[in-house]
Amino acid sequence: MSQNLKSIFIDGEAGTTGLGIRDRLAAVPEVVLKSIAPEKRKDPGARKEMMAGVDLVVLCLPDDAAKESVALADELGAGAPKIVDASTAHRVASDWTYGFAELEPGFAQKVANANRVSNPGCYPTGGIALLRPLVDAGLLPADHPITVNAVSGYSGGGKAMIEAYEAGTAPDFELYGLGLKHKHLPELQLYSRLERRPIFVPSVGNFRQGMLVSVPLHLETLPGKPKPADLHEALAARYAGSSFVSVLPATGDGKLEPQALNDTNKLELRVFGNAELGQAVLVARLDNLGKGASGAAVQNIRLMLGLPEA
């Protein structure tokens, strides 16, 4: 085995995101995966010892458990590994780097230089990708009232939801998070640079994976009353040359299904608009388990360990 291999420990490898990351890393020849015996996965001493011997740790844990793992790493001082945290625990923490490499020009290098990276949520990945460039370009005021609607496959809903859908006991479609306090809202607002808290309405459908995130806009309420083409051009300019984010024309039939990018790390952005009516709908399509979770994590891992892009 080459001594140049980078070693990685996935803390919480048995969950959906952990398994997804493990499967993707198994195809990366530059890394070796380290594991703890199942009976020791909750043993702080065993986890700390493992952390001391690897280059990078991926946290696929509930928020509180992720914080506990970070505390263990802190005890290692200068010997602590780099960390990618897939939980929501550190996504808006000022001393962590947000792991959306396409957030702004040059941001991938910031991820590459970071020791601690918070992996983005699936819904915010689509929302931020659509909104941030328009805010930065002055086309969308930071205090504009924004609504973000989204639908995801059931694999993003955790063990109980997955079991309910696979058993045929869950509804074909349902809205949720209607208390307007979804855990993804803080990062969606912060990294989109929105001054006004957006309304976020998520939903789940009876399909395993895939996601659509949409933002409706009344263009006559925006500065300069931009046309749909102006929004498309701003997005296209922002992501020109990106390996994973594409800005594509609206579909000819005005339809879009959520599963076309499954098992990839791709993100597609489109502007559906009617210039005569002064209305537009921004739409992002991604795999909630890919660019929305495991795919993004592996992209960040590659950057942080100096590995070639997939």
Side-chain angles (χ1 to χ4, degrees), residues 144-167:
H144 192 75
I146 291 293
T147 296
V148 178
N149 302 299
V151 61
S152 175
Y154 60 77
S155 57
K159 183 178 179 180
M161 180 179 286
I162 293 172
E163 290 177 349
Y165 272 97
E166 294 186 345

Side-chain angles (χ1 to χ4, degrees), residues 227-242:
K227 303 295 184 184
D230 298 324
L231 307 183
H232 176 95
E233 289 172 9
L235 292 174
R238 182 60 159 258
Y239 299 110
S242 172

Side-chain angles (χ1 to χ4, degrees), residues 158-224:
K159 183 178 179 180
M161 180 179 286
I162 293 172
E163 290 177 349
Y165 272 97
E166 294 186 345
T169 59
D172 285 339
F173 178 88
E174 68 178 344
L175 299 175
Y176 67 100
L178 293 175
L180 304 179
K181 294 183 178 180
H182 193 279
K183 65 180 182 179
H184 287 169
L185 267 164
E187 62 183 292
L188 174 61
Q189 180 176 0
L190 177 64
Y191 297 109
S192 296
R193 287 185 169 162
L194 298 176
E195 295 173 1
R196 184 191 300 266
R197 181 182 176 90
I199 293 175
F200 174 47
V201 184
S203 60
V204 60
N206 191 12
F207 53 96
R208 179 169 177 80
Q209 65 195 87
M211 173 173 285
L212 296 173
V213 181
S214 59
V215 180
L217 294 171
H218 289 280
L219 302 180
E220 70 272 12
T221 68
L222 302 179

Side-chain angles (χ1 to χ4, degrees), residues 55-173:
D55 296 295
L56 185 145
V57 173
V58 186
L59 305 180
C60 299
L61 302 165
D63 286 7
D64 287 344
K67 292 176 182 177
E68 292 173 2
S69 286
V70 171
L72 289 175
D74 285 342
E75 293 174 6
L76 295 171
K82 296 185 176 185
I83 299 175
V84 173
D85 182 9
S87 80
T88 62
H90 301 99
R91 287 184 186 160
V92 296
S94 60
D95 54 343
W96 284 66
T97 298
Y98 192 60
F100 182 36
E102 298 85 2
L103 182 65
E104 61 186 18
F107 200 77
Q109 190 59 50
K110 185 172 182 180
V111 174
N113 294 338
N115 288 318
R116 295 190 174 181
V117 169
S118 57
N119 213 52
C122 50
Y123 290 126
T125 295
I128 294 164
L130 292 167
L131 293 166
R132 175 67 175 266
L134 303 184
V135 173
D136 287 350
L139 292 169
L140 186 67
D143 64 349
H144 192 75
I146 291 293
T147 296
V148 178
N149 302 299
V151 61
S152 175
Y154 60 77
S155 57
K159 183 178 179 180
M161 180 179 286
I162 293 172
E163 290 177 349
Y165 272 97
E166 294 186 345
T169 59
D172 285 339
F173 178 88

Side-chain angles (χ1 to χ4, degrees), residues 18-30:
L19 290 171
I21 294 172
R22 186 173 185 83
D23 287 346
R24 289 169 184 263
L25 287 176
V28 179
E30 299 92 348

